[in-house]
Amino acid sequence: MKKIIVLAVAALVSFAAFAQPQVIAHRGFHATKGSCRNSIEALKQAQKLGLYGSECDINLTKDGVIVVAHGGMHPDKSAYRKGEDIPRLNIQKSTYEELKTIPLENGEIIPTLEEYLEQTKKSKKTKLIIEIKSHYTPAKETEIVQKTVEMVAKYGLNDMVEYIAFRPWVCFELKRLAPEGTPIAYLNGDYDPTYVKGMGISGIDYKYDVLKKKPKWIKSCQKRGLTVNVWTVNDEEKLRWVIEQGVDYITTDDPVLATKLIKEMCK
Ligand code: MG
């Protein structure tokens, strides 16, 4: 009898197992020695883990080079004392040559998108999730979208690249210029599933807090054929919650923990 109960419970648990979300390393797998956010090394480490995706941020420099970087670039921080204003170079208002003089935290030179795509080519598995940052004018945004889409095609990576953006304009330009069926997800968290469906893009990529407040949006998106990605989920309790909610993708700074929990919870 006991055995039957144990088997019945095991069967129930297996039925209750959750669908398996894919893991995306936020700005690459940067929490390793010798790595840092948005570095080539962080992309390499994400590939080494065999993750579904590695996210990166891109900006257009003043002289039209696409670089992988999130915000302003700091010159050597160690040269400044606490409390002093650390000067920052605004990426979109600096030239590539100026930015090259400032090494990343791991000593790398700021990567260009071309260098990132070279590295993306080396893995058959890990997709590059490119976040196109907001720029000062819609014209600049169109320029970076156009150049990026052309470059990705030139590298033969149409099937290995997905896009995310905060600006609806960037999403629309991606929809217009990227090959049909290219995944494009909206980041800003303010549009409901019906509206996003109407935008003609493939999904949402919303902040954890947004989905926590509006958990119904998850199923509502999926019912409409939209994918659901969530950022940036790092601690165990939150990871467990998003797995239980059945999101399609989890963007995290801790891909090792996310992978472990998924293995445990999604049989
Ligand atoms: Mg990003």
Side-chain angles (χ1 to χ4, degrees), residues 207-218:
K207 196 176 177 177
Y208 171 85
D209 301 346
V210 171
L211 294 182
K212 184 77 185 169
K213 262 185 223 146
K214 299 195 160 124
K216 283 188 182 149
W217 280 9
I218 297 169

Side-chain angles (χ1 to χ4, degrees), residues 64-84:
V65 178
I66 303 173
V67 291
V68 177
H70 183 261
M73 293 290 291
H74 294 288
D76 183 8
K77 282 184 196 164
S78 60
Y80 296 90
R81 279 196 224 111
K82 217 177 164 187
E84 275 185 85

Side-chain angles (χ1 to χ4, degrees), residues 26-27 55-57 70 131 133 164 187:
H26 182 234
R27 303 183 200 168
E55 188 255 4
C56 71
D57 306 294
H70 183 261
E131 178 185 344
K133 296 309 262 185
I164 54 177
L187 286 164

Side-chain angles (χ1 to χ4, degrees), residues 55-227:
E55 188 255 4
C56 71
D57 306 294
I58 63 167
N59 279 281
L60 194 64
T61 65
K62 190 171 134 190
D63 52 339
V65 178
I66 303 173
V67 291
V68 177
H70 183 261
M73 293 290 291
H74 294 288
D76 183 8
K77 282 184 196 164
S78 60
Y80 296 90
R81 279 196 224 111
K82 217 177 164 187
E84 275 185 85
D85 262 353
I86 300 175
R88 280 162 70 100
L89 281 188
N90 180 317
I91 295 182
Q92 296 173 17
K93 289 182 176 171
S94 306
T95 63
Y96 174 56
E97 287 305 315
E98 283 167 335
L99 294 167
K100 263 171 84 176
T101 63
I102 302 165
L104 305 188
E105 281 163 53
N106 70 345
E108 275 182 38
I109 290 168
I110 185 169
T112 60
L113 179 61
E114 293 223 69
E115 288 162 345
Y116 239 68
L117 293 176
E118 279 290 348
Q119 183 60 39
T120 302
K121 252 185 126 76
K122 293 180 184 163
S123 157
K124 293 264 174 290
K125 191 162 180 210
T126 305
K127 293 183 196 273
L128 188 63
I129 316 300
I130 299 179
E131 178 185 344
I132 300 189
K133 296 309 262 185
S134 305
H135 285 63
Y136 290 105
T137 63
K140 279 279 166 209
E141 289 172 345
T142 297
E143 184 185 342
I144 188 170
V145 168
Q146 199 157 14
K147 282 185 168 171
T148 301
V149 165
E150 279 168 15
M151 206 182 278
V152 168
K154 188 183 96 186
Y155 277 82
L157 288 169
N158 283 345
D159 295 335
M160 290 298 286
V161 167
E162 301 184 5
Y163 297 98
I164 54 177
F166 277 93
R167 284 264 166 88
W169 175 253
V170 174
C171 292
F172 292 138
E173 288 299 78
L174 280 165
K175 169 89 183 139
R176 185 171 71 85
L177 295 164
E180 178 98 34
T182 302
I184 303 161
Y186 177 62
L187 286 164
N188 207 35
D190 51 345
Y191 292 157
D192 66 25
T194 312
Y195 192 91
V196 176
K197 184 68 186 173
M199 289 169 77
I201 57 172
S202 59
I204 59 165
D205 185 356
Y206 283 178
K207 196 176 177 177
Y208 171 85
D209 301 346
V210 171
L211 294 182
K212 184 77 185 169
K213 262 185 223 146
K214 299 195 160 124
K216 283 188 182 149
W217 280 9
I218 297 169
K219 290 285 171 291
S220 174
C221 276
Q222 290 167 337
K223 250 195 273 166
R224 288 167 170 79
L226 297 168
T227 55

